[in-house]
């Protein structure tokens, strides 16, 4: 490859936030027309590094070379001028604007909009042909799906003539099918000579699409290797710094009596649309039932009704006792009193109050626990904090400080706090939604082990996840939900991703 | 109610709507850019005082107008500093500006003019006169014929009545206010600046990552807000009335905010909302006691009507009004 200079070269980049060294002497070379993966756990410094490259932060030390030329990137404008485009994890789109308006924003040609819009419409048409990036330019952003929104972000970068595309955790919000589609687009972009940097913590994505990969750990670059010459196990070890078990090690289930029995459950959302359309399911003691499905097919509503977060209709029996599905006794606290625990899907909105201390968060749902009461009037906060401290240590929450606000923990540690709060109650039934969404590998392994341990103690577990890997490795039985109905049940040993994928898309197994 | 009376009510509707409309458009620019502004009232009041004071001292209403605009823009800059640069709470900053204006105007008025917190009555060139359109019946005709204007208008055909009374004869600021409506629409929806302004009120991060300054855009919006509030205040003190009196804005800044919500932050709808409020004020002015089938509605009820409608609108009886998504929140760059 002598003769061609790298599209991007970082030399000795360092950046500190106060006492925290987010990036330590990092150097990378990415050749043009390749896809380079940057993998690392949450908080390893991947996003900081890319923010430096996109002009959000100024590095304390180090140099950036674009196409062999030393380049200063003091702000986003300079990054755009240098041909760098960034697709953020949380899209930077104006929701009530059309696709066209979003693409043009900030890259207009003159004071009047009309000529800019006309030009953008023409160019979008050309890009759609060139890269198979079809988007209706007149759709409003809030009326299209996340997969489409991501395409708009990519189109925004291409419209600004970016040759280097940075994608930060691009599949975090996508369904498996959408992720596959994205990879096809990236493939195409690479074929057209674009350079792509893919930031992720998912090993599978790295193995699937990248040419070279750099591993980051605690602000340092621990290795840069050719993807073809490595494997997931080696990368995981480089990321975490120790051997990681990628598969969940668990003994076969020995299911006992029926704990949860759901009959003809129906749920309507706030708009009155039926989201769950008559679901039957049972979960027995000592088994994990995994509910697989593409996001938005009613699995969230199913969990929320069972957890007492929204009303529903039908019969739900917990240990043979019917649960109230609306009105009195249908709230989360009554559910918990009945022996149910719930790790909700969105820890930041439903699981925790981000501005509260860890110990305050640990009390949620269990305020009336006698162990937390000093007398009839007052709570015993000291006891609550001691309890929090013990839970944090047992679940390896870092740092184990009950006085830290929830926001200051990393995603994995936030999730560990929620899981600790719920699992440590030894519930008869545990509802778990997306237990490892946005959680790093080390924490995923830990949380999975805790769930399996709870099962082995004889609890019934209902797992809802959009990660098919997670469903396949954790579940003892798999139910697939599509459009508010169950498509059928499979045993993990007797099915595979292809069959489940078809069921998730609403294609009945019998036809296949 | 005969046709001529109706025309006259509409005529005062237009006059009374003007300050509301200017303030409403001022708020529209600010809030569309994500800066909530409950300090419209204070800015108008400050502008009203300074325009009347300077007009009274110099005898030139145009200098008064400039002074009013300058005073309002200083307050707008203060609001910008607090809510954009220092990322403070926009509601608190707005409240502070209202208090500041209420106190300062009376204090300075007393110090300068010693007339109990008011300015001297404006006469001649210290006030905005009516703009007579060609062919319209106005004071000049009255002088020439020796008969009062009202009598002349009453004697002509309906079309001419509308032209002379409703369309012609207002102060120039009235025309400025109503021309500002299409201008605002055009700027907002047809220009680059407008696109960016709307974007910064919805998702400033989108603007920032496309390499455009969020701070610059928001200051521009706040400055336009100050300009329009300044004109509104100057209109109150130098055109609608002849001089400044204590608290003369009388809640118009808040009514303008209600109209803005009613209009869901859209310029044309803002005009109709302001005309509705202006109409209620005009009715209250003209019909002090209304006799409805033997029950006399007292004047206080009529006076309260615009405020009652404001409460009704703010309570959400007009359907869901979704404010600009990033409104009220200072922009902090995140990773």
């Amino acid at each position: 490859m002598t003769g061609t200079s790298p599209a991007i070269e970082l030399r000795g980049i360092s950046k500190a936030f106060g006492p925290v060294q987010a990036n330590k002497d990092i150097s990378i070379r990415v050749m043009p027309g390749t896809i380079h993966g940057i993998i690392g756990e949450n908080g390893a410094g991947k996003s900081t590094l890319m923010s430096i490259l996109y002009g959000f932060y100024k590095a304390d030390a180090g140099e950036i070379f674009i196409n062999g030329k030393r380049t200063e990137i003091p702000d986003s404008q300079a990054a755009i001028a240098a041909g760098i485009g960034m697709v953020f994890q949380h899209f930077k789109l104006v929701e009530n604007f059309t696709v066209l308006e979003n693409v043009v924003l900030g890259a207009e040609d003159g004071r009047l909009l009309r000529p800019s819009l006309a030009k953008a419409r023409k160019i979008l048409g050309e890009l759609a042909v060139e890269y198979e990036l079809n988007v209706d330019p007149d759709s409003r952003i809030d009326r299209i799906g996340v997969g489409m929104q991501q395409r708009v972000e990519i189109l925004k970068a291409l419209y600004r003539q970016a040759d280097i595309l940075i994608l930060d955790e691009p599949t975090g919000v996508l369904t498996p099918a959408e992720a596959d589609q994205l990879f096809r687009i990236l493939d195409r972009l690479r074929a057209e000579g674009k350079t792509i940097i893919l930031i992720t913590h998912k090993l599978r994505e790295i193995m699937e699409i990248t040419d070279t990969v750099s591993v980051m750990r605690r602000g340092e670059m621990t290795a840069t290797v050719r993807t073809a010459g490595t494997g997931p196990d080696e990368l995981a070890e480089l990321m975490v710094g120790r051997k990681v078990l990628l598969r969940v090690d668990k003994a076969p289930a020995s299911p006992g009596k029926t704990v949860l029995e759901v009959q003809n459950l129906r749920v309507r959302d706030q708009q009155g649309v039926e989201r769950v359309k008559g679901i039957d399911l049972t979960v027995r003691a000592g088994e994990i039932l995994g509910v697989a499905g593409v996001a938005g097919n009613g699995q969230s509503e199913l969990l929320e009704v069972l957890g007492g977060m929204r009303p529903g209709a039908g019969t739900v029996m917990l240990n043979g006792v019917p649960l109230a599905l609306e009105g009195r006794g249908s709230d989360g606290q009554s559910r918990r009193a009945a022996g149910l625990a719930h790790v909700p899907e969105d820890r930041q909105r439903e699981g925790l109050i981000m501005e509260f201390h860890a110990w305050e968060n640990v009390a949620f749902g269990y305020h009336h626990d006698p162990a937390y009461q000093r007398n009839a009037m007052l709570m015993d906060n000291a006891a609550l904090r001691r309890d929090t401290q013990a839970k944090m240590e047992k679940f390896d929450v870092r740092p184990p400080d009950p006085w830290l606000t929830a926001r200051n923990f990393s995603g994995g540690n936030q999730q560990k706090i929620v899981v600790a709060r719920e699992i440590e109650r030894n519930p008869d039934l545990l509802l778990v939604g997306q237990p490892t969404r946005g959680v790093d590998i080390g924490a995923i392994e830990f949380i999975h082990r805790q769930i399996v341990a709870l099962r082995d103690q004889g609890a019934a577990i209902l797992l809802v996840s959009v990660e098919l890997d997670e469903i396949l490795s954790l579940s003892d039985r798999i139910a697939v939900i599509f459009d508010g109905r169950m498509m059928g049940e499979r045993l993990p040993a007797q099915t595979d991703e292809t069959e489940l994928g078809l069921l998730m898309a609403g294609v009945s197994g019998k036809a296949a | 109610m005969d046709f001529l009376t109706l025309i006259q009510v509409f005529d005062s509707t237009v006059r009374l709507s003007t300050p509301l409309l200017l303030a409403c458009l001022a708020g529209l620019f600010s809030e569309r850019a994500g800066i909530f502004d409950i300090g419209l009232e204070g800015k108008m009041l400050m502008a009203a005082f300074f325009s009347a004071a300077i007009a009274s001292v110099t005898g030139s209403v145009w200098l008064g107008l400039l002074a009013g605009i300058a005073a309002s823009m200083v307050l707008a800059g203060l609001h910008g500093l607090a809510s954009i640069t220092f990322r403070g709470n926009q509601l608190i900053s707005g409240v502070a500006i209202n208090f500041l204006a209420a106190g300062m105007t009376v204090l300075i008025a007393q110090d300068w003019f010693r007339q109990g917190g008011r300015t001297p009555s404006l006469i001649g060139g210290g006030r905005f006169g009516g703009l007579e359109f060609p062919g319209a019946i106005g004071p000049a005709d009255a002088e020439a014929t020796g008969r009062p204007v009202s009598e002349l208008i009453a004697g002509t055909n309906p079309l001419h009545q509308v032209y002379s009374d409703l369309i012609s004869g207002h102060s120039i600021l009235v025309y400025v206010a109503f021309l500002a409506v299409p201008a605002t629409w055009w700027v907002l929806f047809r220009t680059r600046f407008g696109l960016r302004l709307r974007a910064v009120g919805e998702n400033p991060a989108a603007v920032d990552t496309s390499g455009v300054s969020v701070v610059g855009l928001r200051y521009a919006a706040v400055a336009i807000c100050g300009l329009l509030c300044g004109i509104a205040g100057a209109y109150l003190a130098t055109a609608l009335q002849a001089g400044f009196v204590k608290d003369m804005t009388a809640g118009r800044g808040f009514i303008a905010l209600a109209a803005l919500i009613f209009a869901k932050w859209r310029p044309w709808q803002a005009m109709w909302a302001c005309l509705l409020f202006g109409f209620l004020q005009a009715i209250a002015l003209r019909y002090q006691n209304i006799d409805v089938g033997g029950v006399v509605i007292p004047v206080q009820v009529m006076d309260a009507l615009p405020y009652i409608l404001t409460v009704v609108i703010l309570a959400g009886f007009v359907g869901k009004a979704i404010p600009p998504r990033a409104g009220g929140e200072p922009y902090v760059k995140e990773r």
Side-chain angles (χ1 to χ4, degrees):
Chain A
M1 283 292 237
T2 45
T4 6
S5 47
I8 307 165
E9 183 173 4
L10 304 179
R11 280 190 205 160
I13 298 283
S14 291
K15 172 78 188 170
F17 295 102
V20 183
Q21 190 77 35
N23 286 158
K24 234 178 288 176
D25 190 26
I26 287 179
S27 301
I28 317 183
R29 291 158 62 95
V30 183
M31 299 311 285
T34 64
I35 300 183
H36 183 84
I38 295 184
I39 193 163
E41 296 199 275
N42 289 336
K46 307 179 299 258
S47 295
T48 305
L49 186 65
M50 290 307 114
S51 299
I52 289 171
L53 190 50
Y54 197 64
F56 257 37
Y57 297 135
K58 199 176 161 5
D60 300 333
E63 296 175 311
I64 300 170
F65 294 83
I66 305 291
N67 296 322
K69 223 175 82 219
R70 196 173 162 202
T71 312
E72 291 286 339
I73 304 182
D75 51 30
S76 307
Q77 215 160 0
I80 294 167
I84 301 173
M86 181 128 173
V87 176
F88 291 88
Q89 189 175 4
H90 303 287
F91 304 146
K92 311 288 186 193
L93 297 170
V94 183
E95 297 220 332
N96 61 358
F97 276 21
T98 64
V99 170
L100 201 59
E101 287 170 325
N102 267 290
V103 167
V104 160
L105 179 66
E108 307 89 342
D109 292 305
R111 290 188 177 281
L112 295 185
L113 271 187
R114 201 186 289 267
S116 302
L117 290 174
K119 182 183 148 198
R121 187 183 296 276
K122 186 167 149 274
I123 291 180
L124 281 190
E126 289 164 12
L127 289 173
V129 176
E130 201 176 344
Y131 300 106
E132 289 171 34
L133 278 164
N134 285 306
V135 183
D136 174 11
D138 298 308
S139 309
R140 265 175 55 159
I141 295 297
D142 52 8
R143 309 230 166 104
I144 60 178
V146 277
M148 276 293 174
Q149 293 181 2
Q150 194 170 51
R151 283 189 189 189
V152 177
E153 284 284 19
I154 295 174
L155 284 168
K156 260 169 75 177
L158 294 177
Y159 184 73
R160 288 158 172 77
Q161 288 164 353
D163 285 318
I164 299 163
L165 211 57
I166 305 169
L167 294 106
D168 191 1
E169 300 282 1
T171 58
V173 290
L174 300 184
T175 63
E178 284 172 330
D180 285 344
Q181 227 164 20
L182 171 69
F183 286 163
R184 278 202 296 280
I185 291 168
L186 295 186
D187 224 16
R188 184 79 180 227
L189 288 166
R190 167 169 57 186
E192 302 279 337
K194 305 278 182 195
T195 309
I196 295 165
I197 295 186
L198 177 72
I199 302 173
T200 181
H201 62 265
K202 291 184 185 165
L203 290 165
R204 208 180 69 181
E205 292 169 4
I206 292 286
M207 298 310 301
E208 202 173 316
I209 189 96
T210 62
D211 300 300
T212 48
V213 54
S214 296
V215 183
M216 287 189 73
R217 185 170 79 231
R218 293 191 194 157
E220 289 181 83
M221 189 125 299
T222 50
T224 298
V225 290
R226 285 191 46 245
T227 311
T230 187
D233 293 309
E234 188 194 351
L235 286 177
E237 198 180 328
L238 284 167
M239 265 169 79
V240 184
R242 61 181 163 82
K243 282 229 177 287
V244 180
L245 213 53
L246 287 179
R247 280 176 308 102
V248 181
D249 231 5
K250 64 179 171 59
S254 47
K257 65 179 178 65
T258 299
V259 173
L260 175 73
E261 189 167 6
V262 175
Q263 279 166 8
N264 194 25
L265 184 67
R266 290 174 184 275
V267 184
R268 288 180 186 280
D269 65 11
Q270 282 89 334
Q271 280 81 44
V273 180
E274 200 169 50
R275 305 307 298 262
V276 174
K277 303 169 179 172
I279 278 185
D280 302 315
L281 60 85
T282 55
V283 190
R284 285 170 296 171
E287 73 165 354
I288 300 176
L289 173 68
V291 176
V294 177
N297 275 289
Q299 63 271 67
S300 304
E301 287 79 4
L302 171 67
L303 265 192
E304 285 169 14
V305 168
L306 295 177
M309 289 166 66
R310 67 160 78 221
T315 318
V316 176
M317 311 267 271
L318 184 62
N319 292 324
V321 183
L323 294 179
L325 293 183
E326 51 190 343
R328 271 181 72 85
S330 70
D331 56 299
Q333 198 145 7
S334 312
R335 288 281 200 279
R336 284 178 165 84
L340 177 152
H342 184 191
V343 177
E345 288 188 307
D346 187 340
R347 61 177 165 273
Q348 303 206 342
R349 280 176 46 206
E350 297 153 352
L352 298 166
I353 296 183
M354 300 305 283
E355 307 304 331
F356 277 26
H357 300 298
W359 63 269
E360 291 167 314
N361 272 298
V362 163
F364 290 140
Y366 304 102
H367 283 94
H368 297 298
D369 183 339
Y372 298 157
Q373 315 303 320
R374 189 198 301 267
N375 53 40
M377 283 285 291
L378 297 175
M379 283 186 75
D380 187 352
N381 286 345
L384 174 53
R385 279 193 289 273
R386 277 195 303 277
D387 187 40
T388 305
Q389 183 88 45
K391 287 192 165 98
M392 289 175 108
E393 272 157 22
K394 184 165 175 202
F395 277 75
D396 192 28
V397 176
R398 282 181 240 176
D401 177 2
W403 280 105
L404 218 56
T405 49
R407 188 174 296 288
N408 290 325
F409 290 97
S410 73
N413 284 308
Q414 288 170 2
Q415 188 71 345
K416 280 186 190 173
I417 293 175
V418 179
V419 171
R421 175 178 76 207
E422 304 298 337
I423 282 188
E424 282 295 278
R425 293 282 154 181
N426 289 321
D428 297 330
L429 172 69
L430 177 70
L431 307 174
V432 209
Q434 321 296 349
T436 55
R437 178 184 277 171
V439 169
D440 50 73
I441 290 197
I444 289 178
E445 187 195 13
F446 187 87
I447 290 169
H448 282 175
R449 275 212 312 268
Q450 296 300 325
I451 293 174
V452 172
L454 186 69
R455 179 202 75 165
D456 291 342
Q457 286 168 32
I461 292 166
L462 180 68
L463 165 76
V464 167
S465 175
V466 294
E467 301 280 349
L468 212 42
D469 286 345
E470 180 162 82
I471 292 280
L472 276 165
S473 60
L474 271 183
S475 311
D476 300 311
R477 275 187 301 136
I478 298 172
V480 181
I481 192 169
F482 172 75
D483 194 24
R485 292 190 183 86
M486 284 301 176
M487 293 296 292
E489 281 191 14
R490 296 289 183 275
L491 293 175
Q494 293 165 13
T495 187
D496 54 28
E497 285 199 17
T498 320
E499 188 191 14
L500 292 177
L502 281 173
L503 288 172
M504 283 162 69
V507 182
S508 173
K510 287 165 208 133
Chain B
M1 198 189 288
D2 61 45
F3 183 71
L4 195 56
T5 319
L6 196 68
I7 295 292
Q8 281 161 359
V9 170
F10 282 154
D11 175 53
S12 62
T13 297
V14 166
R15 288 173 203 275
L16 291 165
S17 300
T18 297
L20 296 178
L21 182 56
L22 286 164
C24 190
L25 293 175
L28 193 147
F29 273 103
S30 184
E31 302 212 344
R32 276 282 190 162
I35 303 293
F36 282 164
D37 193 354
I38 58 167
L40 297 175
E41 177 89 0
K43 286 200 271 286
M44 275 163 82
L45 194 61
M46 199 66 114
F49 168 71
F50 274 100
S51 61
I54 298 300
S56 150
V57 171
T58 64
S60 160
V61 69
W62 291 101
L63 286 181
L65 175 67
L66 285 181
I69 290 173
S72 167
M73 285 183 77
V74 165
L75 287 187
L78 212 58
H79 186 54
L81 206 63
S83 52
I84 305 169
T85 304
F86 294 113
R87 298 177 189 142
N89 185 305
Q90 297 170 8
L91 293 184
I92 292 177
S93 164
V95 168
I97 281 170
N98 288 338
F99 279 124
L100 190 71
M104 292 268 285
T105 47
V106 178
L107 185 75
I108 300 174
Q110 181 60 18
D111 187 56
W112 286 3
F113 303 107
R114 312 219 170 268
Q115 293 190 7
R118 51 168 63 221
T119 62
S121 284
L122 299 173
I123 39 159
R127 239 194 118 187
F128 279 109
L131 221 61
E132 294 308 326
F133 284 16
I137 298 164
D141 301 288
E143 226 165 275
T145 55
R147 293 160 63 197
V149 181
S150 54
E151 203 182 304
L152 286 173
I153 289 181
T156 184
N157 64 59
L159 206 65
H160 203 192
Q161 285 174 349
V162 170
Y163 181 66
S164 298
D165 214 15
L166 190 57
I167 296 177
S168 164
H170 297 290
S171 119
I172 186 164
L173 297 184
V174 173
Y175 302 107
V176 167
F178 282 87
L179 286 176
V181 175
T184 300
W185 175 85
W186 186 80
V187 166
L188 227 46
F189 297 103
R190 286 291 179 269
T191 69
R192 175 177 69 187
F193 174 70
L195 182 80
R196 292 175 175 184
L197 187 92
R198 285 182 290 133
V200 88
E202 290 288 334
N203 186 356
V207 174
D208 195 20
T209 51
S210 23
V212 181
S213 163
V214 171
V215 170
L217 274 172
R218 288 193 160 170
Y219 266 108
V222 167
I224 295 174
C225 173
L227 171 76
L228 290 170
C229 276
I231 301 177
Y235 173 81
L236 273 182
T238 63
L240 195 63
Q241 310 198 357
F244 171 85
V245 289
K246 179 175 182 286
D247 290 337
M248 75 180 303
T249 43
R252 283 186 172 90
F254 295 106
I255 294 180
L257 277 183
L260 184 59
I261 295 169
F262 194 18
K264 297 180 181 159
W265 294 269
R266 292 169 299 183
W268 286 106
Q269 285 81 352
M271 183 185 82
W272 296 116
C274 289
L275 281 171
L276 174 64
F277 280 110
F279 179 68
L280 290 181
Q281 289 180 339
I283 294 275
L285 262 178
R286 186 171 184 99
Y287 302 100
Q288 297 282 303
N289 292 303
I290 293 184
D291 191 342
V292 181
V295 185
V296 176
I297 300 174
V299 61
Q300 285 84 357
V301 172
M302 297 308 293
D303 283 341
L305 263 185
Y307 303 93
I308 291 170
L309 182 65
T310 304
V311 171
V312 168
I313 287 173
L314 291 180
F317 284 99
V318 291
K320 201 168 173 202
I322 303 162
R325 192 157 307 183
E329 284 178 19
Y331 176 58
V332 183
K333 202 177 255 200
E334 51 161 355
R335 267 188 275 181

